[in-house]
Amino acid sequence: KFYLQSCAVEDVAAFTYFEVVVGLTNEQLARLAIEFPVFLTLNIELATRPFAVVLQRDVGLTPRQVRLTLRRAPQLLCYSSAKLGTVITFLAKELSALGPAQLRRVILRCPSLLGYK
C-alpha cells in the first residue's frame, strides 16, 4: 500500500479496479499514479466501458484481452473512444493486407500504439 498525500490508494476507485480486475501490483499502481495522475479523478466505470466496447467491437478482443491491454497501457483510458476508433481504423487500413487477426496481435503486443496521433 502507498499513500498519495492524505488518501490511501485503496480509497481511490480507479486503483481498486486496476488492482483487482486488471491485476496491477502495488508497484505498478504507484508508477501509474506518478505517470498519470489523472487516474485519481477518473470515473473508472465510465472510462472503461467505452474502451472495452471499442476494442471488442472493432478489434475483436475478448474481455481477458481487454484487461491485458489495460495492464500494458493503462494510459489509454485517458483517450476518448472516438480517438481510439480513429486510430484502430488507421491501423486496420495500414495492416489490411495482413487481416484482422494480425491487427489483434499488433494491439496486444504493443497497445500503446493506440495512443499515437
Side-chain angles (χ1 to χ4, degrees), residues 8 14 22 25 32 47 50 52 54-55 60 63 67 79 84 86 88 94 96 109-110 113 116:
V22 179
T25 65
L32 182 64
V54 167
L55 288 179
R67 288 192 301 275
Y79 305 125
L84 289 174
T86 301
I88 290 168
E94 291 297 312
S96 62
R109 282 205 168 160
C110 190
L113 280 175
Y116 290 127

Side-chain angles (χ1 to χ4, degrees), residues 48-108:
T48 55
R49 186 176 296 135
F51 176 84
V53 166
V54 167
L55 288 179
Q56 289 174 333
R57 181 192 63 217
D58 297 352
V59 183
L61 297 185
T62 65
R64 182 178 172 273
Q65 290 171 322
V66 170
R67 288 192 301 275
L68 178 63
T69 302
L70 283 175
R71 186 179 305 141
R72 290 186 176 159
Q75 70 273 17
L76 294 176
L77 287 180
C78 297
Y79 305 125
S80 71
S81 57
K83 184 206 183 319
L84 289 174
T86 301
V87 173
I88 290 168
T89 300
F90 170 78
L91 289 173
K93 285 179 184 175
E94 291 297 312
L95 300 174
S96 62
L98 302 174
Q102 185 64 21
L103 177 61
R104 277 191 297 280
R105 285 186 75 205
V106 167
I107 290 173
L108 287 170

Side-chain angles (χ1 to χ4, degrees), residues 13-27:
F15 286 99
T16 301
Y17 174 85
F18 277 95
E19 180 178 32
V20 174
V21 178
V22 179
L24 296 182
T25 65
N26 280 338
E27 182 179 303

